[in-house]
Structures are given as structure tokens and as C-alpha cells.
Amino acid sequence: MARSSGKTGGKNKNTSANKNSSTSTQENKYSVILPTYNERRNLPIVTWLLARTFTEHDLDWELIIVDDASPDGTQTIAEQLRKVYSASRIKIHPRAGKLGLGTAYVHGLQFATGNFIIIMDADFSHHPKFIADMIRVQACSSAPPGGYDIVTGTRYAQGGSTDITKDNSAGVYGWDLKRKVVSRGANLLADTVLRPGVSDLTGSFRLYKRSVLEQVMEVTESKGYTFQMEMMVRAKALGFSVAEVPITFVDRVHGESKLGGGEIVEYAKGVVNLWLKV
């Protein structure tokens, strides 16, 4: 069945979070925050798949594109997509340069109008089809009152209830052995040191109640590649409930990975810093 962990709600403002998800699915709005850098070839595909997913399930949605001054013309493509799908669906809020993944989400959240926030990668490694499973799990009968505060996609925990998720398999495709070892090692390190009870801390495909995301962002210090890991650890420390949905992760279709040696060192330091603080 779908994996879940955590208490019901956070320590402080979770009443508003529960109110956000007590309404029916038709009354909810889902804001997708999509940071981009040199994604001109991937962006049209991801946008089309997002539109199809939300339309098929009769869900209200918007896409917030946070482009960090991509030199490949990503912003121009985004403007063309806005003409196709309308300004109410596609919102473009660029920044002056590469300022970090964490701050991109903070920036995008300012312009979101939904009561649920979805964060994901723009490189097509996260397939929008899994969003429907995340939404189902968030409000499933086994969830806490008001639904789960966070639903996160996992590449490493097989399973899922057939009456909730359509695809119970998880995995990674397209990575070489080195990349798989690095990812597995990063999650093992964090799990051993921090024990967050979540199988995929480095994943960046998540559904948040908006009020929960705002609270977690307030106490999160990381700005780069440790951002996702710290967000989840902070959320668990605040007592928010988390469910996991198995996803298949496919290496980017176009473009190059932005993960390098510097990011790996940054992640290791981030784990140690969190262990000292949380």
C-alpha cells in the first residue's frame, strides 16, 4: 500500500492546512512550480502532459515557470506556451540569473493561487501522470483528517495500494551506475544520520498543502541541492504527515544534468548540519 509516515498535522498552524484539503477535489486548485534553466526543448512536452493530466481528471490548475535567465531561449518558449494555454494557466516569473533551486520555489510560491502546490523537475524526468496518484493518496480513506500534508514521489519504495495508485512500481531509468550509487548513497547517508522515515529524501516531485509548504519554507535554510532533503526533514520535525507514492524516474530527455561534485559535497555538509540542528 502507499507508504505513509508522520503525525497528523504540524505543531502550530495546521488547522488552516486541514481546512485547505477538506474541500472536494473539484474545489481545489493545483499550482505547479517549475524552475527552468535551458529547458526550451523539454518545456513544451512537460506543459502538454500537465495540461492533459489535469484536464482528464477535471482539476483546476496553473503552471508557474521560474526561469533563471536561460540563454537557450526557454523564456521565449514559455511565452509562446502562455499564448496557447492562456495567461490564467501559464504564468512566467523569471529571475535575473541562477540563484538556486530553493529560492526558485520561494519565488514561485509568491505568485501561486492554488491551495495545493506541486513541485517537480522541468526536464521530463518526472512524468505528470503520477500527479493523479498523488492527489488520490493525499485524500484517501486511510489518510489523517484533512488528508496528508505532503505526498512525495519515491524512486526507491516499491508498493502502493491498487485501489489508490494505478502503478505500484518505482525505479530509475537512464542513469549509469555511478549516478545510481551517488543517489542511493545520498539517501542512505541521510536516512542513517537523520532517520526521517522517508525513502527518497533527494527526490523533488512532491505535492504540498500550501500552508504546510509556507511553514516549512520559513525554517528551511538551504538554497541549493540540499533544499529538498532539508524540507522533508524539517517537515517531519514539525510533525506534518507524509505519504509516499512510487514513481518511475527517467533521466532527462534533452539537455545536461546540473549535478556535479560541488553539489555532492554540499549535500553531505547539509546532512551533518541538519543532524546538529534538528
Side-chain angles (χ1 to χ4, degrees):
M1 60 180 180
R3 292 162 57 92
S4 63
S5 60
K7 303 174 183 178
T8 303
K11 295 179 180 178
N12 300 315
K13 310 172 186 175
N14 203 48
T15 300
S16 62
N18 284 343
K19 286 181 180 179
N20 278 346
S21 51
S22 62
T23 56
S24 67
T25 301
Q26 286 74 22
E27 295 174 327
N28 291 322
K29 183 173 183 178
Y30 299 88
S31 299
V32 181
I33 300 178
L34 203 66
T36 59
Y37 186 76
N38 287 348
E39 301 289 359
R40 69 182 304 273
R41 298 179 68 184
N42 292 317
L43 187 57
I45 304 172
V46 172
T47 302
W48 181 79
L49 287 169
L50 282 167
R52 185 179 71 171
T53 297
F54 287 118
T55 300
E56 286 180 349
H57 296 277
D58 193 25
L59 300 169
D60 192 10
W61 65 283
E62 64 182 1
L63 173 60
I64 300 164
I65 300 170
V66 181
D67 186 63
D68 280 0
S70 298
D72 73 338
T74 296
Q75 191 172 329
T76 300
I77 297 298
E79 291 168 353
Q80 294 173 357
L81 291 170
R82 181 169 57 187
K83 294 178 181 177
V84 173
Y85 293 97
S86 83
S88 65
R89 296 295 189 198
I90 310 296
K91 300 179 180 180
I92 307 167
H93 295 283
R95 302 192 296 175
K98 294 184 70 175
L99 303 175
L101 185 64
T103 59
Y105 291 126
V106 174
H107 181 73
L109 186 59
Q110 301 176 70
F111 307 101
T113 60
N115 58 322
F116 283 96
I117 307 296
I118 296 168
I119 62 173
M120 60 185 294
D121 292 345
D123 60 9
F124 199 48
S125 55
H126 296 147
H127 199 296
K129 70 180 181 180
F130 294 108
I131 290 175
D133 286 341
M134 290 179 171
I135 292 172
R136 276 192 289 270
V137 168
Q138 192 278 327
C140 69
S141 59
S142 60
Y148 286 107
D149 299 311
I150 304 168
V151 180
T152 182
T154 175
R155 299 163 288 184
Y156 303 124
Q158 302 293 335
S161 174
T162 55
D163 62 337
I164 298 175
T165 58
K166 291 184 177 180
D167 188 347
N168 298 329
S169 61
V172 177
Y173 300 91
W175 277 0
D176 57 21
L177 180 60
K178 178 182 177 181
R179 188 73 187 273
K180 289 181 178 179
V181 169
V182 168
S183 179
R184 278 287 196 176
N187 279 284
L188 179 61
L189 172 64
D191 185 60
T192 302
V193 175
L194 302 172
R195 299 191 178 279
V198 178
S199 66
D200 193 353
L201 278 176
T202 60
S204 54
F205 195 5
R206 295 174 184 168
L207 167 68
Y208 287 88
K209 292 179 181 176
R210 183 196 178 104
S211 58
V212 169
L213 181 58
E214 290 172 339
Q215 290 180 61
V216 175
M217 279 184 169
E218 286 178 2
V219 296
T220 299
E221 300 174 1
S222 302
K223 305 301 179 185
Y225 280 87
T226 58
F227 179 79
Q228 303 292 4
M229 180 260 301
E230 183 177 351
M231 286 275 288
M232 188 58 69
V233 172
R234 297 282 189 185
K236 293 301 295 292
L238 288 169
F240 290 119
S241 58
V242 180
E244 295 186 294
V245 168
I247 65 167
T248 51
F249 177 96
V250 181
D251 197 17
R252 61 169 44 247
V253 177
H254 300 295
E256 299 179 355
S257 172
K258 303 172 182 69
L259 178 65
E263 285 74 26
I264 296 173
V265 173
E266 177 192 342
Y267 180 87
K269 290 180 178 178
V271 171
V272 175
N273 288 335
L274 271 178
W275 179 73
L276 295 172
K277 294 177 181 179
V278 178

